[in-house]
Structures are given as structure tokens and as C-alpha cells.
Amino acid sequence: MSTLNRDDQFKVVINHEEQYSLWPARVDNPSGWRDAGAAGSPQDCIRYIERITADSNPRALKQRIQELQR
């Protein structure tokens, strides 16, 4: 694995559970993760995630909570 540099750009990736993470832009996505549509500095990526996520629980947990509320 290559080392990260201070000026490296990052991207936001998302998995099947709708969990978000930062990933180095120059590195292939980890298995099971896809691009979420934002890139930039770590701070830029975190701001993006904060804007689009109100609930950071995994999708399976969200679905289970909805089932229990019915």
C-alpha cells in the first residue's frame, strides 16, 4: 500500500448499508464500496457527508427500526 501525502485528495465512498467513508482518491475503492459523488480535502468530504446524512446507522438497522415501529 502506498503512503498518503499531506496534499492527497480524498473521495467519499458508500457501501451497501449506506455507510459513508473517506478514501484516498488515487486508490481503487475497497471491495463493496462505490463512489458517492464528492471529492476534495478530508474536511470537504466530511462536510459533504454531514450535509447528506441525518442518520448514520446502517441501512439494515434503519429497516429493522421501521419494522418494529409498525
Side-chain angles (χ1 to χ4, degrees):
M1 172 153 201
S2 59
T3 59
L4 296 175
N5 299 312
R6 180 184 325 206
D7 297 326
D8 280 347
Q9 293 291 298
F10 287 79
K11 59 186 171 183
V12 178
V13 293
I14 186 172
N15 67 14
H16 71 285
E17 286 289 347
E18 297 177 359
Q19 295 172 303
Y20 291 85
S21 185
L22 277 65
W23 196 253
R26 61 184 170 88
V27 178
D28 290 340
N29 292 353
S31 179
W33 294 77
R34 66 185 190 284
D35 290 344
S41 71
Q43 295 82 5
D44 293 337
C45 293
I46 291 169
R47 280 192 292 272
Y48 173 80
I49 292 170
E50 288 173 342
R51 272 196 322 268
I52 62 171
T53 58
D55 183 355
S56 62
N57 287 317
R59 182 176 62 180
L61 178 58
K62 291 178 199 176
Q63 289 173 338
R64 182 67 178 135
I65 290 169
Q66 287 176 349
E67 290 170 5
L68 292 172
Q69 291 174 340
R70 290 184 195 154

